[in-house]
Amino acid sequence: MKSFQIKTKINFGKGALESLEQLAGKKVLLITDPFMVKSGLVNEVIKYLQKSEYTVFCDIVPDPPMEVVTAGIKEFERFMPDVVVALGGGSAIDTSKAIVYFAKKILNLENIKLEDVKLIVIPTTSGTGSEATSFSVITDVQKGAKYPLVSDELLPDVAILDPELVKSVPPNVTADTGMDVLTHAIEAYVSTQSHDCSDALAERAIKLVCEYLPKAYADGDDIKAREKMHNASCLAGIAFDKVSLGINHSIAHAIGAKFHISHGRANSLLLVHVIDYNSQIKGYKTIEFSETAKKYAEISSFLKLNIFNEKIAVDSLKDAIIKLQKQLNMPLTLTECGIDAKEVESMKDEIAELALNDNCTKTNPVKPTKEDIIKILEKII
Ligand code: NAD
C-alpha cells in the first residue's frame, strides 16, 4: 500500500502575504537573514504583524550551522512565541524548522504547551522547496559535512508563496536555485520510491522550470515567471519529500560542505552526469533499456524533445539541460566555479565516502559503488 498526504497548507499567488493578518493578537518570532533586514524586504512581512507582538531574530547564515540553531532556541525560550515565521531562502527556513523542532523537544516549561506553537514559512528563493518538506539541512562546520534532519515534525504548518518577494533575487541565485528545483523534480521522478502522485508533481515542476526559469533569469521583474518558478519549487519539494532523492543530492551535499558552492549550483554541475550514470546506456549497442532510462525518456517526451528511442531521448534530455545551463551562464565544472582541481583530487575519496553514506543514496535508481561516485566526480573537475 502507498499513501499520500500533505500536512502543510499552501497559500500562494499575488497577495498571499495578506494571510499573515490572521496572526493578530499572537506572539510572533520572525526568523530571517541580515539581507532581508538590510534590504527592507522584512518590512513586507512586518506590515501584516502590526496587531501582533513580534520580535526579529536575524542571525541566519547560508548553510546554517548548529550554533545558529542553538542561538535561535535561546531566543525562542526568551520570547516564548505562539507562532514562528521564517522568512528567507532554504537556509532561513531550515534553521527555523530545526529551532522549532528542538525547542519543542528540549525546553521543559511549566504551564506552556509548546506543541501548539505553529511554524509559518515564507520562501524568498524558488529552489529548495523546504517550505513543504520534512527535511532540515544543518552543517557541521568542524567536520565540513551537511546533515539532513528528517522528521514529519519538521513539516511547516503553513507555507506562503508570494512571488513579489522573489523579484529581488539576483540572476545568479535565480539560476542556482532554479536548477535546484529541476534536480529535485528529476531525482524524485526516477527515485526507487516514485509513484503516480509524486510523478504528477515532478512532471509539472519540470515543465514549469523549463518554460519559466530562462524568463525569470532574463527579467527578474517578470512576475508571471517568478510565480511559476515559486510554484514549481514547492511542487518539486512535495514530490521529493514523499519519495526522496538520489546520488545527485548525495554528492552535492558533500561538495557543497567541502567547497562552499551554493547547493543549487552543486546540483547543476552533476545533473547530466548523474542522468548518464543512472540510465546505464552503453553506447549504441544497448538494445534493452533500463526502467530508469525509460523514465528519463518519459521526461523528454513530455518536454517534446527528440524521443526516437530511449538512447536518443536520454541524450536529448542531457542536451536540453546543457542548453539551459548555458542560457543561465552557469559553470559546468568545479574549476569554472574557482575551485582548485588539485584540492578536489585530494578529497575525492572522502567526498565519495560521504556521498555513499548520505540518505539520498538509498533511493537512487542504481546502487553506486565508491568507484562509480569517484568517476562521476571526475567528470565535473
Ligand atoms: P539561501 O537561503 O542560503 O540564500 C542564498 C542567498 O540568497 C543568501 O545570501 C540570501 O540572503 C539571498 N536571498 C534570499 N532571498 C533573497 C531575495 N528575495 N532577494 C535577494 N537575495 C535573496 O539559499 P537557498 O538556495 O534558498 O537555500 C540553500 C539551503 O537550503 C542549503 O543549506 C541547502 O542544503 C538547503 N536545502 C534544504 C532543503 C530542504 O528540504 N530542507 C532542500 C534543498 C536544499
Side-chain angles (χ1 to χ4, degrees):
M1 186 193 83
K2 291 187 159 87
S3 58
F4 187 80
Q5 187 182 350
I6 304 174
K7 171 191 160 190
T8 308
K9 177 180 178 183
I10 298 160
N11 297 329
F12 60 107
K14 210 166 180 325
L17 271 183
E18 286 165 26
S19 58
L20 285 172
E21 282 173 348
Q22 290 167 4
L23 299 182
K26 303 272 186 211
K27 285 182 85 176
V28 178
L29 170 59
L30 175 56
I31 301 182
T32 191
D33 72 30
F35 169 81
M36 293 293 143
V37 176
K38 223 164 103 192
S39 67
L41 261 181
V42 73
N43 297 326
E44 294 303 311
V45 167
I46 288 177
K47 75 178 180 205
Y48 294 108
L49 299 179
Q50 293 312 307
K51 293 187 179 150
S52 314
E53 185 187 343
Y54 69 89
T55 187
V56 182
F57 174 75
C58 65
D59 291 356
I60 302 302
V61 292
D63 297 326
M66 198 55 211
E67 290 73 10
V68 178
V69 176
T70 310
I73 296 170
K74 283 196 184 126
E75 186 59 13
F76 184 109
E77 187 176 18
R78 184 193 68 76
F79 185 67
M80 288 310 304
D82 305 310
V83 181
V84 171
V85 173
L87 172 73
S91 299
I93 296 175
D94 279 8
T95 314
S96 306
K97 285 160 86 172
I99 290 170
V100 174
Y101 176 82
F102 286 118
K104 285 182 179 181
K105 295 258 177 276
I106 301 168
L107 302 179
N108 195 359
L109 304 157
E110 267 177 45
N111 304 326
I112 298 180
K113 276 174 73 187
L114 287 181
E115 63 267 27
D116 292 341
V117 176
K118 298 276 181 258
L119 174 63
I120 299 179
V121 300
I122 310 172
T124 61
T125 57
S126 305
T128 68
S130 178
E131 66 273 15
T133 75
S134 45
F135 294 81
S136 164
V137 185
I138 302 299
T139 298
D140 183 329
V141 182
Q142 276 78 40
K143 286 196 183 143
K146 290 178 101 166
Y147 295 105
L149 308 169
V150 193
S151 164
D152 281 351
E153 291 172 61
L154 289 161
L155 277 162
D157 296 287
V158 180
I160 299 180
L161 310 182
D162 193 320
E164 284 294 328
L165 294 174
V166 204
K167 275 171 37 182
S168 54
V169 177
N172 63 325
V173 180
T174 300
D176 290 354
T177 48
M179 289 305 292
D180 194 19
V181 179
L182 187 62
T183 313
H184 290 154
I186 293 180
E187 288 217 283
Y189 202 77
V190 299
S191 152
T192 54
Q193 301 291 311
S194 66
H195 48 60
D196 287 343
C197 299
S198 61
D199 280 359
L201 297 162
E203 175 177 336
R204 185 69 183 155
I206 293 167
K207 285 183 186 159
L208 288 174
V209 172
C210 291
E211 182 169 357
Y212 290 102
L213 178 56
K215 293 180 184 172
Y217 176 78
D219 176 10
D221 286 326
D222 181 337
I223 195 72
K224 184 172 177 194
R226 289 297 198 185
E227 180 173 350
K228 295 292 184 184
M229 279 306 300
H230 226 27
N231 295 346
S233 171
C234 189
L235 295 176
I238 300 169
F240 86 75
D241 188 52
K242 305 302 168 205
V243 299
S244 192
L245 296 160
I247 55 168
N248 204 119
H249 267 77
S250 308
I251 308 173
H253 286 148
I255 61 177
K258 292 285 173 221
F259 306 118
H260 302 287
I261 49 174
S262 86
H263 174 69
R265 185 164 291 205
N267 273 326
S268 170
L269 294 174
L270 291 155
L271 191 52
V272 290
H273 305 295
V274 170
I275 292 174
D276 198 41
Y277 169 73
N278 281 343
S279 56
Q280 301 274 305
I281 295 173
K282 309 273 181 257
Y284 284 92
K285 291 199 178 125
T286 309
I287 44 167
E288 280 191 14
F289 296 97
S290 66
E291 288 307 309
T292 310
K294 288 179 191 164
K295 286 213 84 173
Y296 286 130
E298 270 178 29
I299 298 178
S300 291
S301 172
F302 64 66
L303 289 177
K304 300 192 172 43
L305 305 173
N306 185 350
I307 51 160
F308 179 72
N309 64 24
E310 274 81 353
K311 180 189 181 318
I312 291 184
V314 173
D315 284 346
S316 331
L317 178 60
K318 290 188 292 181
D319 290 345
I321 292 168
I322 294 170
K323 191 173 155 209
L324 177 62
Q325 289 166 324
K326 287 188 175 156
Q327 255 179 307
L328 304 174
N329 297 307
M330 296 195 80
L332 301 180
T333 61
L334 286 165
T335 316
E336 284 177 41
C337 295
I339 294 155
D340 182 7
K342 279 196 201 121
E343 201 186 344
V344 185
E345 288 286 350
S346 70
M347 287 188 185
K348 271 186 335 196
D349 218 63
E350 193 187 343
I351 291 171
E353 197 67 51
L354 279 169
L356 261 191
N357 292 321
D358 191 290
N359 246 332
C360 296
T361 302
K362 290 183 193 150
T363 42
N364 194 66
V366 180
K367 201 169 183 290
T369 62
K370 193 166 160 184
E371 289 66 39
D372 293 338
I373 292 184
I374 290 177
K375 274 188 200 147
I376 295 171
L377 195 56
E378 281 168 346
K379 291 190 179 157
I380 62 160
I381 297 180

